[in-house]
Amino acid sequence: MDLPELGAFLRSRRDRITPDEVGIVPGPRRRVPGLRRDEVAMLAGASVEYYIELEQGSRTQPSPQMLAALTRALRLTKDERDHVYRLAGRPLPSREGDTHVDPAMLALLDRLDDTPALIISDLAETLAANDLAKALLCRHEGASWPRSSQVYCWFSDPDHRARHPEQDYVRLSESLVADLRLAAARRAPDDPRLAELIALCTEASAEFATLWEERTVRLRRVDSKVFLHPHVGSLDLLCHNLYTDDGSQHLLWFTARADADADKLALLKVVGEQEMSSR
């Protein structure tokens, strides 16, 4: 563990990122080319005082959760991420369950302010989401495995399905399992996280077990979903997907199919901002 070097490394990474890269509008009297300490703290969900102490090397050992948040805030590569964990004296994140988001993918997400958007792993875990996506999905970050996977929630939790019309259940079930089949082909045959997810879903749902044995594969590039939202009602949205080269993650964003749905998204943005300000 080398906390002074950790602080120096964080400082060097902060200096190289411009506000535009993380979706921050720079003020007219900006005196530094990179991010300010308070901006990094905001992006990582930490207090300014805490982050200043980290950079000064005088803080106690940061938690893995804080290191993961700093990795996302500073747009670190995987090598840089691992370096931060070593300097902090923490075990490196498991490669099997690696949820590190590529900086380029995060940069795209930062620029999507007026449409719900999120980054998802091939096991259907939400790795990052903008505020409008959280408001649309009525979902907040921090769910533990396996509830962090949409596949598990869909086949084990009736309340999760209730966010969509019942007539869409079969189509959405088929799509989720077809996606997971592609993920299984990309991952190692003995991948423990994948094996656990399949076993849990099979135990929870006979429907999943049947679909899994059908071995259908399909990559969803454009799809549609109807959301039943408690505040704005029914929204009919197009779903667009942009995949990384290895298919391990994708950026998903939603657009309205009609003017009425666009109006509801605009209202949802206001509702989401009000909910966040009230916390």
Side-chain angles (χ1 to χ4, degrees):
M1 182 168 61
D2 189 344
L3 294 183
E5 180 58 28
L6 172 64
F9 184 75
L10 294 176
R11 193 162 55 248
S12 71
R13 300 305 90 181
R14 171 170 64 83
D15 289 342
R16 74 175 184 177
I17 300 178
T18 65
D20 287 341
E21 290 179 281
V22 294
I24 295 176
V25 179
R29 297 183 179 179
R30 194 171 192 89
R31 291 181 291 180
V32 294
L35 294 180
R36 299 193 303 259
R37 291 184 179 91
D38 64 304
E39 291 168 337
V40 176
M42 176 193 69
L43 292 169
S47 70
V48 178
E49 293 77 13
Y50 181 95
Y51 182 74
I52 289 174
E53 290 185 12
L54 278 180
E55 280 203 1
Q56 292 174 342
S58 58
R59 189 74 184 181
T60 56
Q61 186 182 29
S63 68
Q65 292 79 10
M66 177 52 61
L67 294 175
L70 289 169
T71 292
R72 291 191 294 269
L74 294 170
R75 305 302 192 253
L76 302 186
T77 65
K78 283 188 177 182
D79 291 338
E80 291 170 335
R81 184 274 311 270
D82 290 352
H83 184 58
V84 162
Y85 275 74
R86 292 189 184 98
L87 291 176
R90 296 293 186 183
L92 299 185
S94 168
R95 290 293 181 180
E96 287 82 6
D98 199 346
T99 56
H100 177 78
V101 183
D102 184 87
M105 192 75 80
L106 276 172
L108 282 174
L109 179 65
D110 287 333
R111 283 158 173 75
L112 296 174
D113 293 329
D114 295 325
T115 189
L118 56 160
I119 298 172
I120 303 174
S121 77
D122 59 350
L123 298 186
E125 292 181 275
T126 298
L127 307 180
N130 65 13
D131 293 338
L132 192 49
K134 295 174 187 176
L136 171 67
L137 302 174
C138 301
R139 187 185 308 163
H140 304 291
E141 297 175 357
S144 59
W145 178 263
R147 292 200 62 82
S148 57
S149 171
Q150 183 189 356
V151 177
Y152 177 77
C153 291
W154 179 260
F155 288 102
S156 67
D157 183 0
D159 290 339
H160 188 85
R161 292 196 176 207
R163 300 168 186 169
H164 303 278
E166 188 172 353
Q167 62 265 28
D168 292 348
Y169 286 1
V170 172
R171 178 176 64 85
L172 295 176
S173 294
E174 291 172 347
S175 295
L176 284 170
V177 178
D179 281 349
L180 190 61
R181 267 290 177 188
L182 285 175
R186 286 189 294 264
R187 288 177 171 246
D190 58 349
D191 184 292
R193 205 171 177 84
L194 172 66
E196 181 184 15
L197 181 59
I198 295 171
L200 289 171
C201 291
T202 300
E203 180 181 358
S205 169
E207 179 191 23
F208 175 87
T210 299
L211 290 172
W212 187 252
E213 288 304 314
E214 291 179 0
R215 289 177 166 77
T216 301
V217 294
R218 182 168 58 253
L219 186 66
R220 287 185 291 177
R221 293 179 176 85
V222 179
D223 200 353
S224 63
K225 278 187 179 181
V226 175
F227 292 86
L228 304 178
H229 197 277
H231 297 308
V232 300
S234 175
L235 296 99
D236 190 0
L237 304 178
L238 284 173
C239 317
H240 310 270
N241 295 279
L242 177 65
Y243 291 84
T244 56
D245 289 341
D246 62 0
S248 63
Q249 297 176 9
H250 66 277
L251 176 68
L252 166 64
W253 71 100
F254 301 93
T255 56
R257 291 169 66 94
D259 290 344
D261 299 304
D263 292 340
K264 290 179 182 180
L265 279 181
L267 176 59
L268 186 59
K269 184 175 183 180
V270 175
V271 171
E273 289 172 349
Q274 290 174 344
E275 288 183 344
M276 288 190 66
S277 63
S278 65
R279 289 183 200 148

